[in-house]
Amino acid sequence: MARTTREHVFEAELLVHYQVVYNFLLRMTGSGSDAADLTQETFARAYQKLEHYESGTNGRAWLFCLARNLFINDYRKRKRRGEQELDERSAYQYRDESSPMAGFADLRIAGALDRDFSDPIMRAMTLLNDKQRAVVLMADLYDFAEKEIAEAMELPLNTVKSVTRRARIALIKQLQGYAESTFGIVNTRNLG
């Protein structure tokens, strides 16, 4: 059976980004199963809406836009149904420090969000709001240009610039002690 042009475009330009989209959603949701579900839904939606994709353009940014929208819709749906949000920020905020198992909370966070970052960095990332976390991940982990982030997040370019700056400043403040003690890096920048 011969492949159609539609199938060829989907496989050649979009499906190659499957792992990157999964990793992005994993860091946004904090759950491997939720990330897998949203990734499958993202690619199913991409295939359905393939006529809206212009071949040869930035497929990764288009997929991130779909993934982000699905993440937001999923979050809202869970909130409407009254499901308790069990993302890493909530889990970290509601932990019981008096529990003898409290020291294992960081291991759970590290396991849920993969092992690409150290525990202090993961904790700092989970304290960012969803928009800040998405922008920082796209900019610093996936090397998106600010213009690509603006397109994927459906935000004005200046908003992306300010969100990126605020998120990076928040991360610097959160990680100052870690950077000094682990790497000997002392921040001399004015963080305003």
Side-chain angles (χ1 to χ4, degrees):
M1 178 178 208
R3 287 184 8 199
T4 64
T5 304
R6 176 186 175 96
E7 290 169 346
H8 177 71
V9 167
F10 182 74
E11 288 178 17
E13 296 187 30
L14 300 177
L15 207 51
V16 296
H17 300 295
Y18 191 91
Q19 190 63 46
V20 173
V21 171
Y22 172 78
N23 289 340
F24 171 72
L25 287 167
L26 180 63
R27 287 180 177 82
M28 291 299 294
T29 63
S31 163
S33 61
D34 288 346
D37 291 345
L38 286 172
T39 303
Q40 287 180 350
E41 197 170 335
T42 297
F43 281 89
R45 183 83 44 97
Y47 191 78
Q48 289 172 346
K49 296 180 177 273
L50 202 54
E51 67 274 0
H52 298 289
Y53 172 69
E54 188 177 322
S55 183
T57 61
N58 191 342
R60 187 176 65 157
W62 189 67
L63 287 168
F64 269 62
C65 181
L66 291 174
R68 179 192 55 89
N69 289 340
L70 286 169
F71 168 75
I72 291 169
N73 291 342
D74 185 62
Y75 174 80
R76 287 178 182 158
K77 187 177 5 173
R78 288 172 191 248
K79 199 168 186 177
R80 271 195 310 270
R81 287 192 308 224
E83 290 180 27
Q84 185 175 0
E85 181 184 356
L86 292 177
D87 71 0
E88 299 312 311
R89 264 184 314 234
S90 298
Y92 190 74
Q93 289 170 351
Y94 296 118
R95 71 193 184 286
D96 181 6
E97 290 293 341
S98 64
S99 164
M101 297 299 283
F104 293 100
D106 295 339
L107 295 174
R108 187 185 59 73
I109 290 170
L113 296 174
D114 215 351
R115 300 198 181 275
D116 293 345
F117 299 125
S118 65
D119 290 348
I121 295 172
M122 287 312 311
R123 279 193 301 273
M125 288 291 290
T126 61
L127 295 174
L128 297 175
N129 68 43
D130 294 333
K131 184 191 302 183
Q132 289 176 325
R133 191 171 354 128
V135 168
V136 166
L137 287 171
M138 283 190 246
D140 297 334
L141 191 61
Y142 299 111
D143 297 322
F144 273 62
E146 288 173 330
K147 187 176 179 184
E148 292 174 316
I149 296 169
E151 182 182 312
M153 297 285 291
E154 298 175 338
L155 294 170
L157 183 59
N158 286 337
T159 301
V160 169
K161 289 178 180 183
S162 64
V163 168
T164 304
R165 176 168 166 66
R166 286 187 196 117
R168 286 178 177 158
I169 287 172
L171 286 173
I172 289 168
K173 287 179 179 178
Q174 285 288 321
L175 296 169
Q176 253 176 331
Y178 171 70
E180 282 183 41
S181 65
T182 307
F183 303 105
I185 299 171
V186 178
N187 180 38
T188 58
R189 295 169 56 188
N190 179 7
L191 299 178

